[in-house]
Amino acid sequence: MPIQQTTEYGQVHVSDEVIAILAGSAALECYGLVGMASRKQLKDGITELLGRENLSRGVEIRHEGDVLNIDLYIIVSYGTKISEVAHNVQNRVKYVMNDVVGLQVESVNIFVQGVRVAR
C-alpha cells in the first residue's frame, strides 16, 4: 500500500519498495552492521547475507492505519555490542524516515539474524 502525500504542487506517491530501500540504506550506514538478512531464513535455518542490491529484502514495511512500522532483519559484526548496534540502527532509520523523508514512523523493530566476522 503506497503512501500518498498531498502538497501545494500536487500529489506524491511513495511505494513500500522505496521506503524499504531507504530504510535499508540508512541502516547500512551504522557501525557494527555487516549487512541485511533474508526475512525468510527461519524456514531453512540458514542466514543469508544480502548485498546492497537486495536492500529491500531485509526490510518489512507494515501499515496499520496511518501508522508506519518498519521491521529490519540484520547481521551484526562480531565483537560489537549487539544492543548498541540495534539501538543505533533504530535511531538512524527513524531519523532518516522522519526528518529527511518526512514519513512518520511509529516503530523500528530490529531482528538480529546472525553474527559475522566483518571483512
Side-chain angles (χ1 to χ4, degrees):
M1 178 169 106
I3 293 177
Q4 299 178 4
Q5 294 178 339
T6 303
T7 66
E8 59 191 57
Y9 303 111
Q11 290 189 347
V12 177
H13 300 275
V14 182
S15 71
D16 287 346
E17 181 77 14
V18 171
I19 296 169
I21 290 171
L22 289 172
S25 64
L28 283 178
E29 294 176 4
C30 295
Y31 174 78
L33 190 71
V34 175
M36 306 300 288
S38 174
R39 295 180 305 227
K40 298 178 175 63
Q41 74 95 20
L42 294 175
K43 69 179 181 181
D44 57 359
I46 298 171
T47 303
E48 176 187 355
L49 182 63
L50 303 174
R52 285 203 171 269
E53 66 278 354
N54 294 321
L55 286 176
S56 63
R57 280 189 36 204
V59 181
E60 186 175 322
I61 306 297
R62 293 181 289 115
H63 299 276
E64 296 170 4
D66 291 339
V67 176
L68 184 66
N69 297 301
I70 300 174
D71 296 338
L72 295 169
Y73 297 83
I74 64 172
I75 298 173
V76 297
S77 176
Y78 178 79
T80 58
K81 191 171 180 183
I82 295 173
S83 61
E84 278 299 312
V85 173
H87 188 268
N88 289 340
V89 170
Q90 284 176 321
N91 287 338
R92 177 71 183 159
V93 170
K94 195 158 188 171
Y95 169 76
V96 167
M97 290 295 139
N98 288 340
D99 294 341
V100 176
V101 180
L103 299 175
Q104 293 302 315
V105 176
E106 176 74 19
S107 66
V108 178
N109 303 310
I110 305 295
F111 298 92
V112 179
Q113 300 291 325
V115 176
R116 296 260 171 98
V117 176
R119 296 179 194 182

